Amino acid sequence: MSGTPQLREHESELVVESVTTVADGVVELTLLDEDGGIPPWTPGAHVDLVLGDLVRQYSLCGDPLDTRRLVVAVLREPESRGGSAYVHDNLTVGAKVTVRGPRNHFPLVSAPRYVFVAGGIGITPLLPMIREAEAAGADWHLYYRGRKRSGMAYVERLAEYGDKVTLLPGDETGPLDLAAVLADPQEGTLVYTCGPERLLLGLEEICSARWPAGALHLERFAAKEIEAPEGGERSFELELAATGVTLAVPPDR
């Protein structure tokens, strides 16, 4: 059969090198490839972890230059569908885990200024972005929201950036005023955010009304819910931008 060969995504079996508690209910996993065969990745990338019968996606928060290690941080979700519970209960030092990727749908675009807004475990993809922005000499500020300080991962690491970081634990600061956070739209400033849906919807509303088009870049924990198109159930075509393949989607799918 002729045709263009499909590139197979990188898959490897890594060893859990360390497990570190980085906040209440959050563990950091360092996954080791002893052969140094980890593909290059950039800030905003994530990997799939194969957890028994489950596959879950986690953002990378380590060093992109380290070809032997991948680092992820996982929050134990109270209403876990099994993924976070599996990580916390089964992935101890020495355990092996199949990893697919990395891949990046949330890349950091070069800019002179950034506003980073993290909600809870959404801090993870932003950590490598902040390091890159700092290394590039960009002007940046992080607003980091959590329910309480003890549950906010990497607070001690972020302290090295001084007043470039604003911590907003809800039990200390009260409701989050997103309008104040994004009160000063500036040309050339990009907003990067990851967190719960309520935070992202609020940022979308403010940025669409006040900020230049394209300023907001975000990553969701899950796909955004959208209403069915006007006119009821009907088939449509879906184009996969990465491959150029067009798929016909029937009304019942």
Side-chain angles (χ1 to χ4, degrees):
M1 182 175 180
S2 61
T4 303
Q6 297 296 313
L7 295 177
R8 185 175 181 180
E9 185 174 47
H10 182 79
E11 180 174 306
S12 57
E13 189 175 64
L14 304 187
V15 177
V16 178
E17 183 180 42
S18 66
V19 180
T20 307
T21 299
V22 291
D24 290 348
V26 182
V27 295
E28 177 189 86
L29 299 179
T30 300
L31 306 174
L32 175 66
D33 183 333
E34 296 178 342
D35 298 325
I38 292 172
W41 60 276
T42 54
H46 68 275
V47 292
D48 290 347
L49 298 188
V50 181
L51 309 171
D53 296 330
L54 305 172
V55 178
R56 294 291 184 265
Q57 293 76 43
Y58 297 104
S59 297
L60 295 175
C61 54
D63 182 358
L65 299 179
D66 190 342
T67 60
R68 300 183 71 237
R69 294 172 180 84
L70 294 175
V71 180
V72 298
V74 181
L75 169 69
R76 182 189 280 273
E77 297 282 359
E79 299 180 1
S80 171
R81 293 175 297 159
S84 70
Y86 186 101
V87 169
H88 280 253
D89 296 338
N90 295 282
L91 294 188
T92 56
V93 173
K96 295 182 178 180
V97 58
T98 298
V99 180
R100 297 173 186 157
R103 69 183 75 93
N104 197 343
H105 306 307
F106 187 43
L108 183 68
V109 177
S110 178
R113 288 178 298 277
Y114 300 96
V115 176
F116 297 106
V117 185
I121 198 63
I123 187 62
T124 50
L126 302 187
L127 290 175
M129 293 185 181
I130 288 169
R131 285 195 293 269
E132 183 165 306
E134 180 74 4
D139 182 15
W140 63 271
H141 197 95
L142 167 67
Y143 297 90
Y144 183 11
R145 175 70 169 179
R147 292 178 181 175
K148 54 184 180 180
R149 190 179 297 265
S150 63
M152 298 169 67
Y154 300 111
V155 166
E156 293 183 1
R157 180 184 301 181
L158 290 166
E160 68 183 69
Y161 296 117
D163 59 7
K164 291 184 177 182
V165 174
T166 298
L167 300 179
L168 298 166
D171 61 344
E172 299 176 23
T173 62
L176 176 59
D177 187 350
L178 287 177
V181 169
L182 298 178
D184 187 23
Q186 297 184 38
E187 192 69 31
T189 301
L190 298 182
V191 180
Y192 273 80
T193 182
C194 183
E197 186 65 11
R198 183 177 178 181
L199 171 67
L200 303 187
L201 289 174
L203 288 168
E204 283 182 317
E205 181 178 355
I206 292 171
C207 285
S208 65
R210 304 181 186 178
W211 283 68
L216 178 63
H217 298 252
L218 56 81
E219 185 169 58
R220 287 184 152 85
F221 294 155
K224 182 179 180 180
E225 293 187 4
I226 58 174
E227 295 181 359
E230 186 177 350
E233 296 289 337
R234 59 188 178 188
S235 62
F236 61 93
E237 291 188 341
L238 174 69
E239 181 180 351
L240 307 180
T243 62
V245 174
T246 299
L247 304 175
V249 182
D252 60 338
R253 298 293 296 274

